[in-house]
Amino acid sequence: MDLTYSDADQAFRTEIRTWLEDHLASADWAGLKGLGGPGKDHEAVEERLAWNQHLAAHGWTCVGWPVEHGGRGLSLWQQVVFHEECARAHAPHGVNHLGEALLGPTLMAYGTAEQQARFLPPIREVTELWAQGYSEPDAGSDLANVQTRARLDDGGAEVGGEWVLDGQKVWTSNAHFSQWMFVVARTEPGSQRHRGLSFLLVPIDQPGVEVRPIEQLTGGSEFNEVFLTGARTGADLVVGEPGQGWAVAMALLGFERGVSTLAQTVDYARELDTVVARARANGSYDDLVLRDRLATLKVELSVIRAQGLRGLSSAEPGADSVFKLVWAGWHRRLGEAAMEVAGHDGLLTRSADGSAYDLDDHQRLFLFSRADTIYGGSDEVQKNILAERVLGLPREPRP
Ligand SMILES: Cc1cc2nc3c(=O)[nH]c(=O)nc-3n(C[C@H](O)[C@H](O)[C@H](O)COP(=O)(O)OP(=O)(O)OC[C@H]3O[C@@H](n4cnc5c(N)ncnc54)[C@H](O)[C@@H]3O)c2cc1C
């Protein structure tokens, strides 16, 4: 396994680094540095959208997509370089990760030519944003328990018609500023578990869709409840065959290869630096136990990065689950260490007038990193995968 970057990759690094430095230095964008991302996705959405469209205008969105679909066709390592350089430059975080990294590749693999022509260009140009309608109140880790229903209403016509959806989704990130949502729904009445599900593309801005933001511990609202009450979408907006949506839904999750998460370790290193700087400034660095914890976090981050690279460069079974477990647990421990360092200041959560949350970056890190071990497959789910698929332990009882 050769983990060194080739000369071509290094040349590409110089190209994107220079471009980002030039453009982020401009008065239009300089103020957006570091905005958005996990725990902060509610920040400056309009401005980040404009930045993303600026990237698109210069061909810097969907860089891993094949050229025939309008991408740059970058190799895996060049995609890593791209995301690392964005993180290094403290570029504002993207607003359409779900469309670009997950739905786009799914449409390329399973969508019709018409679906690809209709939906890929606006994802690339960042003119249509997407939300993921998988989770429900009783279907999270156990996604096969989806209860949202969809039926085909052909209106008496021989062709055409519409899907009509009823049900509830929850924890739907970004639905409040997205135009579209991909939805896993049960289209075969009486079907059980992963059978009889379909993968539908549903416009959000319509009377049958109600989006209710959920306020998080951090005070922001990145995710939502989404109520579908007679929501409609075109009969042709099913991806793959009706009733075969489970395979499409799982394939979509498989497209998350961790390229951007690996680059996130650049952000993590910066966060750790700010915690260390606070420890120096307030004297808590003198606490030997705390020093030990901070040094351990530094060492662990190097190991996590190596594990991420390993996951990308090999098809080792379980590598993705190991990576998810180690980075999510690390980030939580960083949040906890940040609160130790902050001391009493970490307890102050009200603005001067007592009215609202007014968190500093370390408090937000501490609170939001509790979610890291839940989304994208919880710790327990990752351990079940490792136990059953890698260690060959007996399968846990299924409902
Ligand atoms: C920040 C954030 C953003 C999210 N964004 C989206 C989104 O955009 N779209 C979307 O569809 N969903 C989204 N989710 C939802 C996320 O996918 C679910 O929270 C996750 O799948 C867990 O499901 P749940 O919350 O229903 O918990 P449950 O599945 O009810 O789990 C509760 C607890 O039981 C444990 N558990 C469950 N099953 C087992 C088992 N078999 N063995 C051992 N332990 C088990 C879990 O690990 C957890 O600790 C988001 C979640 C978060 C936190």
Side-chain angles (χ1 to χ4, degrees):
M1 182 168 53
D2 181 5
L3 295 181
T4 54
Y5 291 103
S6 68
D7 290 347
D9 292 346
Q10 293 295 8
F12 173 69
R13 188 184 289 281
T14 304
E15 179 190 352
I16 181 60
R17 183 175 291 188
T18 307
W19 191 92
L20 285 167
E21 277 169 4
D22 288 350
H23 288 251
L24 282 169
S26 115
D28 288 345
W29 313 117
L32 302 185
K33 279 193 174 185
L35 293 180
K40 302 194 298 175
D41 250 351
H42 59 287
E43 287 179 343
V45 173
E46 287 299 320
E47 294 84 346
R48 284 162 51 218
L49 177 63
W51 164 252
N52 280 218
Q53 291 172 345
H54 181 70
L55 286 174
H58 291 81
W60 289 120
T61 53
C62 305
V63 293
W65 287 13
V67 175
E68 64 265 31
H69 287 301
R72 284 199 176 225
L74 292 189
S75 69
L76 199 57
W77 295 115
Q78 288 178 337
Q79 292 174 55
V80 172
V81 168
F82 174 78
H83 288 288
E84 280 182 346
E85 287 304 316
C86 287
R88 204 192 66 86
H90 225 182
H93 283 256
V95 288
N96 203 16
H97 176 75
L98 295 165
E100 173 171 339
L102 300 185
L103 183 67
T106 306
L107 289 177
M108 289 172 213
Y110 290 89
T112 61
E114 290 75 20
Q115 289 169 348
Q116 292 171 0
R118 163 65 186 83
F119 292 110
L120 294 181
I123 293 176
R124 203 180 53 237
E125 290 150 17
V126 212
T127 50
E128 283 179 351
L129 308 184
W130 285 84
Q132 177 180 22
Y134 278 25
S135 300
E136 298 183 359
D138 289 318
S141 305
D142 186 19
L143 184 61
N145 196 38
V146 158
Q147 300 299 322
T148 292
R149 302 178 310 282
R151 64 183 170 83
L152 201 51
D153 174 9
D154 63 10
E158 281 190 17
V159 289
E162 288 184 321
W163 293 100
V164 183
L165 294 92
D166 289 282
Q168 185 197 339
K169 297 293 174 180
V170 71
W171 317 124
T172 321
S173 299
N174 303 347
H176 52 304
F177 59 71
S178 296
Q179 290 74 43
W180 286 84
M181 177 164 74
F182 46 91
V183 173
V184 180
R186 198 162 290 286
T187 49
E188 292 178 6
S191 61
Q192 299 287 323
R193 310 295 302 158
H194 55 276
R195 295 182 199 85
L197 299 169
S198 296
F199 189 101
L200 301 169
L201 309 176
V202 180
I204 291 178
D205 186 14
Q206 59 164 309
V209 179
E210 187 192 348
V211 177
R212 290 190 203 158
I214 300 172
E215 189 177 350
Q216 301 166 189
L217 279 173
T218 50
S221 293
E222 289 169 36
F223 48 34
N224 305 270
E225 293 178 290
V226 178
F227 294 88
L228 304 165
T229 313
R232 290 183 167 262
T233 196
D236 56 340
L237 295 189
V238 55
V239 181
E241 293 298 316
Q244 305 294 317
W246 182 257
V248 182
M250 291 301 105
L252 177 136
L253 297 179
F255 287 118
E256 180 59 282
R257 288 216 56 203
V259 175
S260 54
T261 313
L262 178 61
Q264 213 161 282
T265 56
V266 175
D267 287 324
Y268 290 173
R270 181 186 289 117
E271 283 181 329
L272 175 57
D273 285 347
T274 67
V275 175
V276 171
R278 189 171 191 166
R280 283 180 189 278
N282 71 8
S284 55
Y285 207 65
D286 292 335
D287 177 334
L288 295 184
V289 175
L290 202 45
R291 285 170 76 101
D292 182 86
R293 278 171 69 180
L294 294 173
T296 303
L297 285 163
K298 176 78 177 163
V299 174
E300 287 175 343
L301 188 56
S302 303
V303 178
I304 289 167
R305 189 175 151 69
Q307 177 63 27
L309 288 166
R310 188 171 163 183
L312 283 180
S313 59
S314 73
E316 188 180 290
D320 292 346
S321 290
V322 172
F323 186 47
K324 171 80 209 308
L325 278 164
V326 292
W327 73 251
W330 183 91
H331 205 218
R332 275 178 72 145
R333 291 197 301 284
L334 177 65
E336 288 157 7
M339 288 300 91
E340 290 283 333
V341 166
H344 290 134
D345 288 348
L347 298 173
L348 301 173
T349 57
R350 292 277 157 184
S351 56
D353 66 4
S355 60
Y357 275 108
D358 187 17
L359 302 179
D360 68 25
D361 283 349
H362 291 155
Q363 291 169 320
R364 192 175 293 109
L365 160 67
F366 170 68
L367 291 174
F368 189 81
S369 59
R370 317 310 289 176
D372 287 330
T373 53
I374 300 172
Y375 65 82
S378 70
D379 271 17
E380 290 76 15
V381 166
Q382 304 300 342
K383 286 176 189 167
N384 279 345
I385 292 171
L386 290 168
E388 295 176 10
R389 299 190 202 158
V390 180
L391 299 178
L393 295 173
R395 285 170 66 88
E396 64 163 337
R398 294 288 194 271

